[in-house]
Amino acid sequence: MRAPRPKAAIAAVAVAALALAGCAESERDDSGDSSDATLVFGVAGDPKVLDPSFASDGESLRVARQMFETLVRPEEGGTAITPGLAESWTPDESGTVWTFKLKSGVKFHDGTDFNAEAVCVNFDRWYNATGLMQSPDVTAYWQDVMGGFANNESEDLPESLFESCTVVDDTTVDLAFTRVSSKIPAALMLPSFSIHSPAALEEHNASDVTGSADDISYPAYALEHPTGTGPFKFDSWDIANKTLTLVRNEDYAGEKAKVKTLIFRTISDENARKQELRNGGIQGYDLVGPADVQPLKDDGFNVLTRPAFNVLYLAMNQQGNPALADIRVRQAIAHALNRQALVDSKMPPGAEVATQFVPPTVEGWNSDVTTYDYDVAKAKELLAEAGHSDLALRFHYPTEVTRPYMPNPKDIFELLAADLREAGITVEPIPLKWSPDYLNATTSGNAHDLHLLGWTGDYGDAYNFIGTFFDRPKDEWGYDNPELFAKFAEADGTADIEARYELYKGINADIMEFLPGVPISHSPPAIVFAEDVIGVQASPLTDERFATAEFKS
């Protein structure tokens, strides 16, 4: 899951206000019956948009996962591919056409039928996008997975991986791709590939994205009328009071949600979230501070720790500062950082220093990559050799945010900045509000030297980590490496899984030799619920399913 895309200044729309009376306590009878209960969950930030086709931030995707479904989905609590709206999926001999057998009897929230035609309407909508829908700030995940569109309007867009969708019969659909790819079918688990009601898409002009790249205005569908097949359906979004309300889909084809109402309440301050949980104002929240995990457990709260399926990294922009184009300078920075001390003091229990940009649980992780041990003398030696003993760097870090891989950005920045100064590097701190200022500054243009960012995996393939970062030129890193890009293309097109894993290992070794940035850590973020809330299983993908949440007696 990526950081939310910059430049998406979403047009605010008037939404009916939510009556907050009664939300401080979960509404259930004394028997412990959850059927009429309200669960209020505290989140760190507002969702950006409710159409997951346009979403790339964690809070938008969290909400989307409750309302929408995809053809395939991750296993509960894991990363393996399991049936979603499709019961089965098989490739042809070429590996480029996949046949999906669909579930029958499924309806969208507006009462219309889910079928093969609906699947093709959705894929055709994405593939035939025009205008601002071709902006990476709007269709980030489509472009990360599929590349381009039917008619690319920018020469920077690659050929589309997706080719066509064909209705075979009411419950069978063929998806054709231009080549074999490691991304298929795993990437179709992403909420951005959720299937929407064609009738609702048409009624609410769902593709009418207007404005400019610097001021994107989303249509009413994306803010007021999201219509999927999931166990919850949209009720209201009170932007002013920072609450988004979903209600149980009584016509859901699967097991119905155990609680009647689910409210996501934005509380940006971590300590305020914790206090609201203790006071009963919310019944759970995400991104528990590392120091709060054990005290909350001791007090009887249900603290669930996700597996460490993420990476925090320090990015170095080679265009932002020409000195960073010198490998010796990048090596010096890597040796200057005491990453173990950072992990020991600022990360949650179970965190570990990262040796590369993928977690060790992902196939393709390489135990034999070049490593950069903490060595201040070596850092100074390399800087002197490169002629940059007086190196000065702009170091961006975000404010007003907590991320699963970055529990306290300011504290992390201060430790790393102190390490760099110890090696003789002058550091200019540049704190910026997370969205949109920080993301604009660090993922576009070249007005940055160093910055902190990270990634939580979307599915269990190494390409989702390293390919997302490094398979093409990106402003975040500011380099061009055609040889490395070619190796990514080879790996992505390799059908044999074991052979592809070996290619990933080689690419990981190449990345750590080239050293575009420094991987810092992998950490297991925690999510917490009240003592009487059970049924939710922690997911390494942050794919927690609130439909299974219930109150015990």
Side-chain angles (χ1 to χ4, degrees), residues 11-282:
V13 291
V15 183
L18 169 71
L20 291 174
C23 288
E25 297 290 340
S26 48
E27 300 171 358
R28 63 193 187 281
D29 61 39
D30 293 335
S31 69
D33 181 14
S34 295
S35 60
D36 291 322
T38 295
L39 175 65
V40 185
F41 189 80
V43 295
D46 296 328
K48 306 303 177 185
V49 68
L50 303 182
D51 180 347
S53 307
F54 304 145
S56 57
D57 63 290
E59 298 305 344
S60 295
L61 298 177
R62 188 200 308 275
V63 175
R65 286 180 169 111
Q66 317 310 318
M67 297 188 292
F68 289 95
E69 294 176 302
T70 48
L71 294 178
V72 292
R73 67 181 305 177
E75 65 178 340
E76 190 167 5
T79 63
I81 306 171
T82 64
L85 289 170
E87 295 178 335
S88 65
W89 50 95
T90 53
D92 68 355
E93 290 185 1
S94 72
T96 61
V97 178
W98 287 75
T99 297
F100 289 82
K101 294 288 187 179
L102 308 177
K103 291 181 178 177
S104 58
V106 176
K107 290 188 178 294
F108 291 102
H109 297 158
D110 58 6
T112 58
D113 291 334
F114 163 78
N115 51 34
E117 182 180 356
V119 173
C120 285
V121 166
N122 278 266
F123 275 89
D124 289 345
R125 175 197 179 206
W126 302 321
Y127 180 51
N128 292 298
T130 59
L132 274 179
M133 279 187 66
Q134 291 198 10
S135 167
D137 301 318
V138 178
T139 49
Y141 271 120
W142 174 271
Q143 294 186 46
D144 276 345
V145 175
M146 302 297 182
F149 302 90
N151 295 291
N152 289 337
E153 296 173 11
S154 168
E155 61 182 17
D156 294 331
L157 286 167
E159 176 190 20
S160 176
L161 170 62
F162 175 79
E163 184 173 42
S164 66
C165 179
T166 303
V167 174
V168 178
D169 57 43
D170 209 39
T171 58
T172 310
V173 65
D174 283 347
L175 297 182
F177 301 91
T178 56
R179 53 184 170 81
V180 172
S181 173
S182 64
K183 303 168 189 174
I184 306 301
L188 300 182
M189 296 191 295
L190 294 168
S192 295
F193 294 99
S194 297
I195 305 301
H196 305 245
S197 160
L201 291 174
E202 181 177 2
E203 179 182 357
H204 301 292
N205 299 313
S207 297
D208 187 26
V209 180
T210 60
S212 66
D214 294 315
D215 187 17
I216 297 168
S217 181
Y218 291 107
Y221 177 83
L223 300 170
E224 298 178 83
H225 303 287
T227 309
T229 60
F232 289 99
K233 57 185 181 180
F234 178 74
D235 181 76
S236 62
W237 186 7
D238 187 344
I239 296 174
N241 287 306
K242 295 185 173 297
T243 54
L244 191 148
T245 302
L246 309 180
V247 295
R248 181 169 55 223
N249 175 13
E250 301 292 356
D251 298 317
Y252 184 56
E255 185 176 350
K256 293 178 177 57
K258 297 182 183 299
V259 298
K260 183 177 182 179
T261 307
L262 173 62
I263 298 174
F264 291 106
R265 179 179 163 198
T266 301
I267 307 171
S268 58
D269 182 76
E270 178 185 315
N271 287 324
R273 291 196 298 274
K274 178 177 63 176
Q275 192 59 43
E276 277 297 283
L277 177 70
R278 291 187 180 281
N279 293 341
I282 60 176

Side-chain angles (χ1 to χ4, degrees), residues 473-493:
K474 283 194 166 185
D475 285 348
E476 181 178 3
W477 309 96
Y479 71 84
D480 189 21
N481 190 330
E483 183 178 348
L484 181 62
F485 302 153
K487 290 183 178 181
F488 273 111
E490 179 187 3
D492 185 42

Side-chain angles (χ1 to χ4, degrees), residues 402-453:
T402 301
R403 303 307 305 147
Y405 47 79
M406 186 167 50
N408 192 319
K410 184 178 180 182
D411 286 356
I412 293 170
F413 160 78
E414 288 176 347
L415 283 180
L416 296 181
D419 289 343
L420 295 172
R421 291 182 179 118
E422 184 68 21
I425 298 171
T426 300
V427 175
E428 177 189 355
I430 304 181
L432 292 174
K433 182 180 178 182
W434 173 249
S435 180
D437 301 349
Y438 185 74
L439 297 168
N440 281 346
T442 58
T443 60
S444 59
N446 56 18
H448 56 288
D449 300 342
L450 306 179
H451 67 268
L452 294 168
L453 211 54

